[in-house]
């Protein structure tokens, strides 16, 4: 079966970056289409009529959305590449737990660091440090959340790295100082071409305005 793969994306999106990393890890060729979220294409509206958000992966004409679900699908379809999720059911459930934690407790709190002020921002900063601390504990002494290799949780989390200078600037703190292990892990991920080529440029994001 021919593999026709199209990705609808938006360059600053960490959720789109997840899908790009997974496709790069598996060596999948695809066509990338940048969306204007102020003026969504009819293709996006047709392919993701429920949420109308990117990323959307279109595989042989069939659409998939919600980045973690898309990454899981890529892992299951392109079995030849390195696995992202463990095959053991318990370890698999734990990877999904932590990816869900990242969705609920990291990105939304990061968003608040950028978009709120005063007490609300201080509370977000405290929460962000607590939650990245929990992730450091979960990482333990492993190089990656996936163990020796990049895994599902790494793919879910590492796009936050591009946004850190924005968070640090707006909320006035330093993660290198507060969470050195987290930064070391992110830099380790960035040494992989599948990651560095998929993440939005930090400087470009720093200049980006909502
Ligand atoms: C989130 C996607 C999302 O927020 C996922 O794929 O994991 N849970 C989803 N996409 C944003 C761009 S990134 O901030 C989006 O498409 N927004 C358009 C809109 O809200 O209209």
């Amino acid at each position: 079966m021919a593999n026709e793969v199209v990705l609808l994306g938006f360059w600053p999106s960490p959720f789109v970056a997840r899908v790009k990393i997974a496709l790069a890890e598996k060596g999948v060729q695809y066509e990338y289409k940048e969306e204007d979220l102020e003026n969504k294409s009819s293709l996006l509206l047709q392919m993701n009529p429920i949420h109308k958000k990117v990323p959307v992966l279109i595989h042989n004409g069939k659409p998939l959305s919600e980045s973690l679900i898309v990454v899981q699908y890529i892992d299951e379809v392109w079995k030849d590449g390195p696995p992202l999720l463990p095959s053991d059911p318990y370890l698999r459930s734990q990877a999904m737990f932590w990816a869900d934690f990242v969705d609920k407790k990291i990105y939304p709190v990061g968003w608040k660091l950028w978009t709120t002020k005063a007490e609300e921002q201080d509370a977000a900063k405290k929460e962000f440090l607590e939650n990245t601390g929990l992730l450091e504990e979960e990482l333990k002494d492993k190089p990656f959340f996936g163990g020796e290799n990049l895994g599902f949780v790494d793919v879910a989390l590492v796009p936050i790295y591009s946004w850190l200078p924005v968070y640090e600037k707006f909320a006035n703190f330093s993660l290198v100082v507060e969470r050195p292990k987290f930064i070391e892990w992110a830099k380790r991920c960035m040494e992989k071409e599948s990651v560095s080529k998929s993440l939005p440029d930090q400087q470009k994001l720093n200049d980006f305005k909502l």
Side-chain angles (χ1 to χ4, degrees), residues 10 13-15 18 37 40 52-55 66-68 103:
F10 175 54
S13 167
F15 310 110
R18 289 171 168 174
L37 295 181
K40 295 174 184 170
K52 306 177 178 66
K53 291 185 180 188
V54 291
E66 287 301 308
S67 58
L68 292 180
D103 261 6

Side-chain angles (χ1 to χ4, degrees), residues 31-138:
E31 184 189 349
Y32 177 77
K33 292 189 177 171
E34 179 77 5
E35 279 291 328
D36 172 0
L37 295 181
E38 299 291 306
N39 184 18
K40 295 174 184 170
S41 71
S42 51
L43 183 63
L44 173 59
L45 300 176
Q46 186 193 335
M47 292 290 154
N48 189 0
I50 307 292
H51 296 303
K52 306 177 178 66
K53 291 185 180 188
V54 291
V56 175
L57 189 79
I58 311 170
H59 184 203
N60 294 331
K62 289 184 292 190
L64 296 108
S65 52
E66 287 301 308
S67 58
L68 292 180
I69 295 171
V70 178
V71 171
Q72 185 181 352
Y73 175 84
I74 291 168
D75 196 34
E76 285 169 3
V77 169
W78 284 277
K79 287 260 180 233
D80 292 348
L84 296 172
L85 276 158
S87 51
D88 174 84
Y90 184 72
L91 296 178
R92 208 174 160 86
S93 80
Q94 294 310 288
M96 286 180 169
F97 171 87
W98 284 106
D100 182 60
F101 176 86
V102 168
D103 261 6
K104 290 179 174 144
K105 299 283 189 186
I106 297 289
Y107 287 103
V109 185
W111 178 257
K112 284 192 202 158
L113 292 174
W114 187 31
T115 55
T116 63
K117 295 223 180 326
E119 292 93 55
E120 208 183 335
Q121 193 183 47
D122 285 344
K125 189 153 65 176
K126 188 164 167 279
E127 201 183 342
F128 195 77
L129 288 174
E130 270 169 21
N131 295 345
T132 46
L134 290 170
L135 285 165
E136 282 190 341
E137 283 171 29
E138 170 57 21

Side-chain angles (χ1 to χ4, degrees), residues 17 20-26 81-84 142-155 158-159 161-162 183-200:
K20 288 184 176 175
I21 298 169
L23 290 169
E25 278 286 304
K26 300 284 187 173
L84 296 172
K142 301 183 298 254
F144 299 103
F145 288 92
E148 290 304 312
N149 297 303
L150 201 80
F152 194 65
V153 181
D154 302 283
V155 174
V158 74
Y161 183 68
S162 298
I183 298 295
E184 278 166 31
W185 158 81
K187 290 198 167 148
R188 207 173 296 128
C189 294
M190 285 295 277
E191 283 167 16
K192 291 188 172 281
E193 204 178 281
S194 61
V195 176
S196 58
K197 288 208 165 152
S198 302
L199 257 52

